[in-house]
Amino acid sequence: MAQIFEHFVVCGIGPEIRTVDGARGFHGFAEMYLPSLLDQFPPANHTLYPPPPPQLPTCVLPAGVSFYSSGFDSSDATTFPRSYPIVLTEGDGSKIYVSCIAFRDPVSEDIAEAYCIPANSFADKCICLVSRSPSLRLLKNVLEELFALCFSSSGSSKPLWDIIASMVSNVPLPTPGKDRVLFAIDNCLLSVETPPKDGLPYVDISFQPLVQCLDVDNLIKFFTAVLLERRILIRSHKYSLLTLASEAICYLIYPFRWQQVYIPLLFFSGVDYIDAPTPYMMGLHSGVDTSTLAMDGVVIVDLEFNRITTTEDIPSIPEPELSCLRQEITQLLYPNVVGIDLMKDGLFSSSEQYPKLGNKPWGEDHDLQLRLVFLKFFASLLSGYRNFIELSATHVFNVQAFLKMRSRSTQQPPEPMLTQFLESHGFMDYLERGLGSDENNNNLLDKLQDALGRGQNPISILPSNSVEPEIITIADTDVGTSGSGGTYTYDRFPSNIRTEEEEEKRKQILAAASGLSASSPSVLPGKDPKSETLTPLERAAERECMVLDIKVKLQGLWLRLLKLGPTDDPLSSFEYGTILALIESDAEGIGGSGFVECIREHINSGWHCQLTEEQFIAVKELLKTAISRATSRNDWLTIRDALEVSAEMFKKDGNNVSDYVQRHLISLSIWEELRFWESYFDCLMERSSNKSANYASLVTDQLSLVELHMAGLGLPDLDAWYMIETIAEKNNIGYTQFIKLRGLLSHVQQLRIGYWGISSFKAQSMSHGLASPRSKDAAVESQQPAEASGVGRSWVQSMFSRDNSTRLNSFSRVRKWTSDGGSSATNENGTSRKRELSAAGQKKTQTNVRVLRGHTGPITALHCVTRREVWDLVGDREDAGFFISGSTDCTVKIWDPSFRGNELRATLKGHTRTIRAISSDRGKVVSGSDDQSVLVWDKQTTQLLEELKGHDAQISCARMLSGERVLTAAHDGTVKMWDVRTDTCVATVGRCSSAVLCMEYDDSTGILAAGGRDAIANIWDIRAGRQMHKLLGHTKWIRSIRMVGDTVVTGSDDWTARMWSISRGTCDAVLACHAGPILSVEYSTLDRGIITGSTDGLLRFWENVEGGIRCVKNVTVHTAAILSINAAEHWLGIGAADNSMSLFHRPQEKLGGFSNTGSKMAGWQLYRTPQRTAAVVRCVATDLERKRICSGDRKGQLRLWEATINI
């Protein structure tokens, strides 16, 4: 069982004395001195307990240590001991609770002698009790009892440190709602218990100081500033008030949590932290001068004078919640005034919603009622919020829809206070904590909303205390001199027994101090006082203060650097120069690591990471300097962080293509060192949250991340593969994992070349004779140009070849393989690619390729109008066979291939951003865009009919259905059905936890299938209004989906395709032989076969056989990602990212023999393929009825291939 007390600590003047300015030695009674950690239990060398926080001495004596000529004087109140609590916050947000008693204690004789301090002098000393439990009242009572026992005239029956050791070691933390622990300190009996976890959070403080210091209006104003996460400074002359007010307001915002910097009691020397640009809540003694600070936008809460001041307005809480909140607080604080006109007795009784507290002094019941008042406020303000929680890729809560609903109910426009609160970190943290966790089941806000809706008493949501807690008694151990009847009295707080090593070190420090004092009353000439030896805890505390100070400065400089105008030169700015100086002049690396950490925190706060051209240059140079300095110190942590943040920040070039900072760091030599990448891989393995995964898979996943960074930097292909291979061999992964890693590396290298071309590098990086690619943004669609088709292709072909020598040559560096028992299908039943292409060449005739120009930006969506969509006539000819394209130029164009030289039929304008999805029926065209809208056009008149708005992110899929309906999917994770006639959303028929990338719908059965970034294939029955299945199995994004009858086929970035049964909701087969993400899948109805296409450029044919499904044929006609597969009964059209196309034919006369003599799927034969031209293709559409395939490239051109085949 965990212990309730973590440490007992004594802080004060140690053997090494320094002023708060760093000067060593004693400089008189007027100076303030740095406190040190003097004693502690458990001792520092105890291996089972972590050390106390290094900043503890500075925080418990925030003003520092003073020397005095006299001690305690009962007639002088300034000499009385002071008892106060403090709260420390760790990096993960957890709190450490400390109770302190500060008092004057005699200066040790050896210290006074060494530093020539006047005899009989006193100095501040502080004893502290540290705990992780928020039991501040208990900590205060225990500590005061120990203090009284120490200075009691009757003394104690045991040595004081033995009593402390017994208490810290033996008193357990009680089980919430079940246990009450009884323990004794000498002859004083104490108890501790905590309430059940399903009630309000446990708090052991009184809220009375807060409501006594601030009136109702100022309390509400303070509360509002906290909710809106302002920069808040609390002032008071009393340490206790600062901590109690800070903690009280944090409990009053339940169920939300303060997510920003939290220092309830700021040490005096840290006053500069108030200028930090980020939100914070700090408490500062009123005696500290802040006149030199800007204080712009800081909300100053003065508890002494009941005053709140700020240079920025705090929006008011909206009505009617404000009036209700003010009335209930007033009724609780001043019940006799509020009810002065009410009858005390009679026919009518007062409200029984709350217990009658008017005649009682403030107690725990008042604290509870105050917390319920604020919880009721949240229940009213957020009424109905649960209906607007959405699990989408961009957000979890539909703020705009909620505000519209509230505006309709209140007949008022959206309130600024509520709008800001809904966008705060605290509100988002509350939603994220509630989704999919046990906390959602014990959500008191939801319970209170339900209870108020039913007219129940708010008290009913709290657990009852009907069960008496179990009493656990901690026996008093006999430590020390037992049975002798002796007592222990002290004239000062005793020191704990020191070890011989500690005693020797103390003597050495005092001896050195004695020599210093003899030579000079001040500091020795030429010596830096801070260069002298510090204790480990003092050094850690000093470094932490220095790091915090530099980090605060860097945060302000970084934000100002990003706010420079377009006419400002960042390289000549004060901000750039100061950041550079902090990085270059800091030998310990605090400036460089702090700068990188500052960028990371800004990214985590929601920064979009886009830089201007000038900012890009400045940030690039600063990162280069930080990495170079870190390299000289072997500071791998800073280099790793810099590598990761450089992959996030980018600028846009003239073609609106992202250019990342990481791409410009290749000149640094650190990337050529294997030891760095080994350390980075080890770091990724330690950070991995999926510790339970298969070890080989875990290694592969982390090495894949390493490969992305290598490609992002632009390391040469062979250099990068050598380092990846070396790390992989040390971790003994299997043959299949090696294939995946080599495939991914070649794939991302090709992507880099497609966007940035082949670049030259330093001479030492060119020893292998292969120019290295560099990466592009991972979010850009996976496209590969013809120029890059040779990079990494030989190894892909060799993996599925029977020529062992070729296979070994393609992995010439590999010396050891670990077999995983996998096998690969042969190409064309063992025949080589050369024979297949030769056979195809015998049938090849002259083809017809047309280039259709009209768009001014890359083609991003392409649709072919099929005969199934069009069953009536448009004019005097069939509409089937038209191609409809969309582009980044925000236009939709309709093309009629039957008119040579005049194919462009119409241009549809209306979108404001890139077109992503197109569909059509006999009379309408529907398009979806990044502008979050869906537009419906009349195909004949080209007039805009309707604009469908309701999605909160870019549209990914659109489909016209019968009955004037439209089905759309978007990156907000929703699938919506629209009625075009009424311009309304009929229903949100599907909801995913992340962006939807692909969908299929069977209009005859009403079954909808969708997949996307959450790696889940979701199946809904729209007509029944229910979700049928969540098909789990993929580990990465689902890129493609195909549904035929009871079968769904999905292709994923995890390099596998899966076949599912809709009726059973099970996975019938996993197709895993590709060496890259699967972008397209197709299902052949005639023979129940599957065709898959991947970024590895391979086309695979799978066939159902007894005992499962196997690959019976793989084709290597294409050298880049397969983007489109379209199958009919006898024809198969393929389009790839390298601008290559192919048409496969299955002769009708051979169909009868397949079932008996061989494979059905193997009957597909390559019929024709046109001559390929250099272009990067983004999308492909196929018209198999007319043997046409059309592709759209990055230059805005369509390439239409018409095979002109005579059947």
Side-chain angles (χ1 to χ4, degrees):
M1 183 178 290
Q3 309 304 309
I4 191 169
F5 306 117
E6 193 168 273
H7 290 96
F8 182 89
V9 178
V10 182
C11 300
I13 284 294
E16 188 168 14
I17 300 179
R18 296 177 185 272
T19 67
V20 291
D21 295 328
R24 188 180 176 190
F26 178 71
H27 294 265
F29 291 102
E31 291 290 332
M32 300 296 294
Y33 299 84
L34 292 175
S36 301
L37 195 153
L38 305 181
D39 286 308
Q40 68 179 78
F41 185 88
N45 58 0
H46 202 298
T47 59
L48 298 181
Y49 293 87
Q55 72 272 27
L56 186 64
T58 304
C59 295
V60 299
L61 290 168
V65 176
S66 294
F67 284 88
Y68 308 95
S69 58
S70 61
F72 171 73
D73 183 355
S74 59
S75 62
D76 185 0
T78 61
T79 67
F80 286 13
R82 292 170 296 164
S83 177
Y84 50 91
I86 69 169
V87 179
L88 306 179
T89 307
E90 295 194 309
D92 60 356
S94 60
K95 292 182 178 181
I96 300 175
Y97 301 88
V98 186
S99 183
C100 311
I101 294 181
F103 56 97
R104 297 183 182 184
D105 207 41
V107 179
S108 299
E109 289 78 2
D110 54 352
I111 293 178
E113 181 180 353
Y115 288 96
C116 299
I117 301 173
N120 300 320
S121 294
F122 293 80
D124 289 320
K125 183 175 285 187
C126 184
I127 58 174
C128 316
L129 199 53
V130 183
S131 176
R132 299 278 174 170
S133 172
S135 305
L136 287 175
R137 282 176 179 163
L138 172 70
L139 298 178
K140 175 183 174 70
N141 293 337
V142 170
L143 196 63
E144 291 181 354
E145 187 63 33
L146 288 172
F147 183 82
L149 189 64
C150 173
F151 295 103
S152 170
S153 58
S154 59
S156 60
S157 60
K158 304 170 189 175
L160 186 63
W161 278 97
D162 287 350
I163 296 175
I164 293 170
S166 175
M167 178 193 69
V168 173
S169 302
N170 298 324
V171 179
L173 186 66
T175 303
K178 295 183 178 181
D179 301 335
R180 177 184 297 159
V181 177
L182 300 180
F183 63 99
I185 298 178
D186 207 52
N187 294 320
C188 177
L189 184 63
L190 298 168
S191 68
V192 57
E193 62 179 311
T194 57
K197 286 186 176 181
D198 52 351
L200 289 168
Y202 173 50
V203 54
D204 195 24
I205 62 170
S206 172
F207 290 79
Q208 187 179 22
L210 176 64
V211 298
Q212 285 181 334
C213 291
L214 297 178
D215 60 29
V216 175
D217 288 334
N218 277 336
L219 174 60
I220 294 176
K221 194 173 185 180
F222 182 22
F223 171 76
T224 307
V226 174
L227 281 185
L228 301 185
E229 297 177 345
R230 296 296 182 90
R231 297 156 64 209
I232 302 172
L233 182 65
I234 308 172
R235 305 299 301 270
S236 175
H237 282 91
K238 299 177 176 60
Y239 293 161
S240 294
L241 275 182
L242 295 174
T243 299
L244 293 178
S246 301
E247 281 292 285
I249 201 69
C250 287
Y251 282 108
L252 290 181
I253 66 172
Y254 173 85
F256 307 98
R257 299 188 301 196
W258 178 257
Q259 294 290 296
Q260 309 297 335
V261 175
Y262 182 65
I263 311 177
L265 182 55
L266 181 65
F267 50 94
F268 290 13
S269 59
V271 66
D272 288 340
Y273 298 164
I274 296 172
D275 273 341
T278 55
Y280 58 74
M281 189 192 305
M282 299 184 190
L284 184 65
H285 191 273
S286 298
V288 181
D289 182 22
T290 59
S291 59
T292 60
L293 302 177
M295 306 290 281
D296 290 337
V298 179
V299 179
I300 304 174
V301 181
D302 194 328
L303 299 178
E304 304 285 346
F305 297 98
N306 181 28
R307 183 172 56 204
I308 296 181
T309 57
T310 180
T311 59
E312 297 179 0
D313 290 336
I314 302 174
S316 176
I317 291 175
E319 295 289 356
E321 284 78 14
L322 176 60
S323 298
C324 293
L325 182 62
R326 182 186 289 114
Q327 178 182 355
E328 294 203 29
I329 296 176
T330 305
Q331 183 175 352
L332 181 64
L333 299 182
Y334 314 108
N336 294 329
V337 175
V338 172
I340 196 169
D341 288 338
L342 299 179
M343 294 176 58
K344 299 298 183 290
D345 296 297
L347 299 176
F348 303 100
S349 60
S350 59
S351 172
E352 296 181 358
Q353 189 176 40
Y354 297 115
K356 297 179 180 180
L357 304 173
N359 298 322
K360 294 182 179 179
W362 190 279
E364 293 183 359
D365 289 339
H366 294 81
D367 292 335
L368 175 62
Q369 297 308 324
L370 184 63
R371 298 175 72 182
L372 284 176
V373 165
F374 281 91
L375 188 60
K376 279 184 62 182
F377 159 76
F378 285 121
S380 174
L381 185 70
L382 300 176
S383 177
Y385 82 98
R386 284 173 283 179
N387 298 326
F388 299 90
I389 296 178
E390 296 184 355
L391 301 179
S392 69
T394 56
H395 58 262
V396 296
F397 187 77
N398 194 330
V399 174
Q400 296 303 319
F402 176 78
L403 292 175
K404 288 180 181 178
M405 179 276 295
R406 179 175 169 85
S407 295
R408 287 194 299 267
S409 62
T410 61
Q411 300 298 315
Q412 297 291 334
E415 300 91 348
M417 178 268 170
L418 181 57
T419 303
Q420 294 180 30
F421 171 61
L422 296 178
E423 295 174 351
S424 66
H425 287 83
F427 183 70
M428 296 309 298
D429 168 73
Y430 165 74
L431 294 177
E432 291 169 358
R433 280 186 287 122
L435 295 176
S437 67
D438 293 338
E439 186 170 342
N440 196 35
N441 299 326
N442 296 322
N443 190 321
L444 291 186
L445 176 60
D446 293 350
K447 291 182 178 179
L448 181 58
Q449 288 181 336
D450 296 339
L452 294 176
R454 295 190 293 265
Q456 296 177 344
N457 192 326
I459 297 291
S460 63
I461 67 172
L462 302 178
S464 61
N465 297 324
S466 57
V467 180
E468 284 295 322
E470 179 182 354
I471 305 298
I472 299 177
T473 303
I474 307 302
D476 189 12
T477 56
D478 293 329
V479 182
T481 309
S482 59
S484 63
T487 58
Y488 296 85
T489 58
Y490 306 94
D491 63 345
R492 66 184 67 193
F493 199 89
S495 299
N496 201 2
I497 300 175
R498 303 187 188 98
T499 64
E500 293 182 3
E501 181 181 355
E502 291 172 338
E503 190 64 36
E504 182 63 26
K505 184 176 181 179
R506 179 184 177 90
K507 290 180 180 179
Q508 291 176 359
I509 295 174
L510 292 176
S514 179
L516 176 66
S517 299
S519 62
S520 171
S522 186
V523 183
L524 288 173
K527 294 282 277 186
D528 181 1
K530 290 196 175 184
S531 65
E532 302 295 331
T533 304
L534 292 173
T535 65
L537 281 175
E538 289 174 331
R539 184 177 291 108
E542 181 175 309
R543 177 178 173 81
E544 184 164 333
C545 292
M546 182 167 53
V547 169
L548 185 58
D549 184 54
I550 293 178
K551 184 177 177 182
V552 169
K553 289 182 173 63
L554 283 170
Q555 282 180 335
L557 292 167
W558 167 252
L559 293 177
R560 289 197 293 270
L561 181 67
L562 295 182
K563 291 180 180 179
L564 293 179
T567 59
D568 298 320
D569 181 12
L571 291 178
S572 61
S573 65
F574 166 78
E575 290 77 11
Y576 174 84
T578 307
I579 295 175
L580 186 64
L582 286 172
I583 296 174
E584 290 183 334
S585 62
D586 180 17
E588 295 189 29
I590 300 174
S593 61
F595 174 64
V596 175
E597 185 179 353
C598 180
I599 298 176
R600 181 184 290 279
E601 290 182 355
H602 198 191
I603 293 173
N604 293 338
S605 68
W607 178 44
H608 54 73
C609 298
Q610 185 170 352
L611 302 167
T612 64
E613 180 72 31
E614 294 77 14
Q615 292 170 351
F616 187 88
I617 296 173
V619 172
K620 174 187 66 176
E621 295 304 320
L622 290 172
L623 276 181
K624 280 185 178 181
T625 305
I627 295 173
S628 298
R629 295 286 178 176
T631 302
S632 64
R633 299 188 310 272
N634 289 328
D635 183 2
W636 300 126
L637 178 60
T638 298
I639 301 174
R640 292 195 300 262
D641 289 345
L643 176 69
E644 291 177 346
V645 300
S646 69
E648 301 285 340
M649 296 181 291
F650 66 96
K651 66 176 181 179
K652 293 283 190 178
D653 64 10
N655 294 322
N656 203 34
V657 176
S658 300
D659 186 9
Y660 283 76
V661 172
Q662 189 179 75
R663 200 172 73 87
H664 298 266
L665 303 179
I666 185 60
S667 60
L668 300 173
S669 60
I670 185 62
W671 316 126
E672 300 172 355
E673 298 192 21
L674 175 62
R675 57 179 183 146
F676 166 72
W677 295 107
E678 288 178 331
S679 71
Y680 184 43
F681 168 75
D682 293 339
C683 174
L684 292 175
M685 292 291 288
E686 292 176 3
R687 290 194 321 214
S688 174
S689 58
N690 192 14
K691 300 292 186 182
S692 61
N694 175 271
Y695 180 74
S697 299
L698 184 61
V699 170
T700 304
D701 291 342
Q702 306 314 316
L703 282 178
S704 298
L705 294 177
V706 175
E707 286 184 337
L708 293 177
H709 286 297
M710 287 180 169
L713 290 163
L715 285 179
D717 183 78
L718 295 183
D719 289 350
W721 175 242
Y722 169 73
M723 289 184 280
I724 291 294
E725 177 195 48
T726 303
I727 300 173
E729 282 185 331
K730 290 181 180 180
N731 289 272
N732 297 321
I733 64 173
Y735 184 83
T736 301
Q737 280 75 26
F738 267 96
I739 295 175
K740 289 183 177 180
L741 289 171
R742 191 62 182 94
L744 176 63
L745 182 60
S746 295
H747 172 60
V748 294
Q749 299 285 37
Q750 292 181 46
L751 295 178
R752 203 259 347 142
I753 294 177
Y755 272 80
W756 305 113
I758 299 177
S759 305
S760 60
F761 298 95
K762 299 179 296 181
Q764 60 265 35
S765 298
M766 298 293 293
S767 58
H768 298 288
L770 176 64
S772 169
R774 301 180 190 174
S775 79
K776 69 174 188 68
D777 180 15
V780 179
E781 295 114 353
S782 303
Q783 312 299 343
Q784 305 170 0
E787 297 87 346
S789 61
V791 180
R793 282 295 299 133
S794 60
W795 75 268
V796 177
Q797 298 172 11
S798 66
M799 285 302 99
F800 306 101
S801 169
R802 292 188 175 181
D803 188 349
N804 293 330
S805 63
T806 306
R807 182 182 305 159
L808 293 176
N809 288 336
S810 64
F811 285 98
S812 57
R813 294 180 183 270
V814 180
R815 293 173 293 275
K816 179 181 178 181
W817 294 96
T818 302
S819 176
D820 61 353
S823 61
S824 301
T826 61
N827 178 26
E828 199 57 69
N829 294 326
T831 61
S832 66
R833 178 190 176 192
K834 182 177 179 180
R835 287 182 57 188
E836 180 178 318
L837 293 180
S838 177
Q842 295 174 5
K843 293 185 178 182
K844 186 172 180 180
T845 62
Q846 183 179 2
T847 60
N848 192 342
V849 177
R850 283 180 276 171
V851 177
L852 310 181
R853 296 179 176 87
H855 285 290
T856 59
I859 308 298
T860 52
L862 195 55
H863 173 72
C864 177
V865 181
T866 63
R867 186 182 298 273
R868 184 170 53 182
E869 296 177 0
V870 184
W871 51 267
D872 63 350
L873 297 180
V874 179
D876 57 353
R877 66 181 184 279
E878 290 187 355
D879 192 19
F882 282 19
F883 287 94
I884 309 175
S885 59
S887 167
T888 58
D889 62 11
C890 308
T891 65
V892 177
K893 293 183 182 291
I894 303 176
W895 308 85
D896 184 356
S898 62
F899 286 87
R900 291 181 177 272
N902 191 25
E903 292 87 355
L904 182 58
R905 177 74 175 266
T907 299
L908 312 179
K909 297 181 179 180
H911 286 293
T912 59
R913 296 187 66 184
T914 300
I915 312 299
R916 296 293 180 183
I918 299 174
S919 183
S920 70
D921 65 4
R922 61 185 180 273
K924 296 181 179 62
V925 175
V926 59
S927 58
S929 166
D930 284 356
D931 60 13
Q932 304 180 12
S933 70
V934 179
L935 302 184
V936 183
W937 319 79
D938 187 287
K939 194 181 295 185
Q940 292 187 20
T941 65
T942 69
Q943 295 298 313
L944 178 61
L945 299 178
E946 303 291 350
E947 181 178 8
L948 310 178
K949 284 193 172 182
H951 285 291
D952 297 321
Q954 67 185 61
I955 310 299
S956 57
C957 308
R959 179 175 170 183
M960 287 291 301
L961 305 178
S962 61
E964 300 290 326
R965 295 171 301 153
V966 176
L967 197 64
T968 60
H971 283 226
D972 60 8
T974 64
V975 182
K976 296 179 181 291
M977 182 173 288
W978 310 80
D979 188 332
V980 176
R981 294 165 296 189
T982 60
D983 185 22
T984 57
C985 177
V986 177
T988 299
V989 296
R991 196 181 299 276
C992 301
S993 60
S994 189
V996 179
L997 302 180
C998 52
M999 73 173 183
E1000 277 274 274
Y1001 179 64
D1002 188 342
D1003 210 356
S1004 63
T1005 62
I1007 302 299
L1008 169 66
R1013 292 182 180 176
D1014 59 4
I1016 301 173
N1018 294 277
I1019 309 294
W1020 293 275
D1021 185 343
I1022 291 181
R1023 295 176 182 174
R1026 64 184 181 90
Q1027 182 165 12
M1028 298 176 63
H1029 306 293
K1030 280 191 174 184
L1031 306 178
L1032 305 176
H1034 286 297
T1035 59
K1036 293 185 180 180
W1037 295 4
I1038 296 176
R1039 294 280 189 177
S1040 54
I1041 194 167
R1042 186 77 170 91
M1043 178 171 63
V1044 178
D1046 189 53
T1047 301
V1048 171
V1049 183
T1050 54
S1052 168
D1053 280 1
D1054 62 10
W1055 300 13
T1056 69
R1058 290 176 179 260
M1059 186 170 71
W1060 314 82
S1061 169
I1062 296 177
S1063 57
R1064 298 191 305 273
T1066 59
C1067 179
D1068 292 343
V1070 179
L1071 319 181
C1073 278
H1074 280 288
I1078 296 177
L1079 303 184
S1080 52
V1081 295
E1082 179 61 294
Y1083 186 83
S1084 179
T1085 309
L1086 187 64
D1087 42 35
R1088 298 174 56 235
I1090 296 173
I1091 306 130
T1092 57
S1094 166
T1095 58
D1096 61 10
L1098 294 176
L1099 189 68
R1100 293 186 172 275
F1101 294 81
W1102 308 79
E1103 186 175 79
N1104 274 297
V1105 295
E1106 291 186 7
I1109 188 168
R1110 65 184 181 91
C1111 180
V1112 296
K1113 179 187 182 75
N1114 58 93
V1115 178
T1116 56
V1117 172
H1118 303 278
T1119 58
I1122 307 296
L1123 300 181
S1124 171
I1125 304 175
N1126 195 336
E1129 186 174 354
H1130 302 299
W1131 296 96
L1132 179 69
I1134 310 296
D1138 59 359
N1139 207 17
S1140 64
M1141 310 173 194
S1142 59
L1143 191 65
F1144 288 78
H1145 182 225
R1146 182 165 53 184
Q1148 188 170 2
E1149 61 273 16
K1150 294 185 179 182
L1151 288 176
F1154 286 152
S1155 60
N1156 297 324
T1157 61
S1159 168
K1160 296 180 182 180
M1161 294 298 293
W1164 288 106
Q1165 301 293 327
L1166 177 64
Y1167 201 93
R1168 295 187 177 177
T1169 182
Q1171 183 178 0
R1172 188 178 61 191
T1173 59
V1176 178
V1177 171
R1178 290 197 169 203
C1179 46
V1180 179
T1182 306
D1183 179 9
L1184 289 178
E1185 295 178 7
R1186 294 161 183 79
K1187 314 305 176 290
R1188 293 170 179 160
I1189 302 179
C1190 186
S1191 65
D1193 64 23
R1194 279 188 59 191
K1195 298 179 181 179
Q1197 299 176 353
L1198 276 74
R1199 187 168 179 253
L1200 177 62
W1201 174 43
E1202 195 166 6
T1204 63
I1205 299 174
N1206 295 322
I1207 302 177

